[in-house]
Amino acid sequence: MGLGEGTGEGMDGERWWGIVHDARAAVGARADDRDAADDRDAADDPLVEAVTERLARLSPEDIVAFDVRYVAITDSAYRRPLWNAAYLIEGGCGDDGFMDFRAGLMLQGRAAFERAVADPDSLADLPVVRRMGIEGRGWLGCEGFSYAARDAYRRARGEAGTFDAAMEAALKRTARPARPEGDDWDVEDEAETLRRLPRLAALFSGAES
């Protein structure tokens, strides 16, 4: 069996989230250290590195399987209501920004991620989001997490070409959403956004203190 075959095996949701939670536990309070001015990829941010270290200990097949599962999880959050919440929180959010936003949200752990997908207004409970709204500092998005598996694979194997080939083969067999799901609205319509995301709208209008 080639590296790109059967890569979903051995990396179910429980194991995937367990790696994230283990990394969060390892870095302790620093897991929510989001004080960079415009991204959580600051040089002294330890969480992505903690995940990468754990992935580098796995077999090449499991590292690929982790990234396949990563794609499935981020696709599950490809929803308009969440995207509009990201737009409100970040003061604008394009395609790349929403990919980074979902990556950072996954690093918050399974419970926070699943709550936010089901109810984007629950993002108002996250300390980093409250800090962004009240103090104007910190960041939730994390581009670096999207490269963690590839970086780990390169560390383990000394090359990433076979990783890229395996991912390409796996994703060709995967049905992915062509467009975001869920109701859309003009997030700059303050009355409608207040109706749909009342807590976030209050937080980012300066109504909370």
Side-chain angles (χ1 to χ4, degrees):
M1 178 178 290
L3 182 61
E5 300 175 36
T7 53
E9 297 178 4
M11 191 57 66
D12 61 13
E14 290 296 325
R15 188 179 181 199
W16 194 96
W17 285 109
I19 291 168
V20 173
H21 293 158
D22 184 59
R24 286 181 60 84
V27 301
R30 301 279 325 270
D32 290 313
D33 189 0
R34 313 286 203 285
D35 289 338
D38 60 1
D39 202 333
R40 70 150 296 145
D41 290 341
D44 62 348
D45 181 347
L47 187 51
V48 171
E49 175 59 24
V51 174
T52 304
E53 287 178 352
R54 282 154 180 76
L55 293 179
R57 301 171 194 158
L58 303 179
S59 69
E61 291 79 9
D62 279 351
I63 298 173
V64 173
F66 181 94
D67 213 37
V68 172
R69 179 70 60 175
Y70 172 98
V71 171
I73 293 172
T74 196
D75 282 352
S76 75
Y78 192 44
R79 300 184 55 80
R80 275 292 176 193
L82 184 65
W83 197 337
N84 284 351
Y87 186 101
L88 181 62
I89 291 167
E90 297 186 348
C93 185
D95 291 348
D96 290 347
F98 190 44
M99 286 190 288
D100 297 347
F101 184 89
R102 285 175 284 163
L105 182 57
M106 285 189 278
L107 286 175
Q108 290 283 318
R110 186 173 196 169
F113 177 86
E114 292 181 349
R115 276 197 306 271
V117 173
D119 174 19
D121 208 33
S122 70
L123 288 163
D125 292 327
L126 296 182
V128 59
V129 172
R130 296 191 62 79
R131 190 181 308 140
M132 290 173 70
I134 296 170
E135 303 176 27
R137 65 185 180 91
W139 202 251
L140 179 60
C142 183
E143 180 181 5
F145 187 34
S146 63
Y147 308 125
R150 191 175 193 275
D151 290 345
Y153 190 97
R154 180 184 285 114
R155 291 186 196 182
R157 290 283 295 253
E159 53 84 21
T162 50
F163 174 89
D164 295 337
M167 284 299 299
E168 181 179 359
L171 295 181
K172 280 182 179 178
R173 301 190 298 270
T174 302
R176 303 192 62 194
R179 58 185 59 85
E181 296 183 354
D183 293 339
D184 193 13
W185 73 94
D186 180 0
V187 72
E188 295 188 2
D189 180 335
E190 294 182 3
E192 185 65 9
T193 297
L194 181 61
R195 183 179 77 82
R196 293 178 181 257
L197 302 171
R199 297 172 62 206
L200 285 174
L203 184 61
F204 285 88
S205 70
E208 290 203 4
S209 61

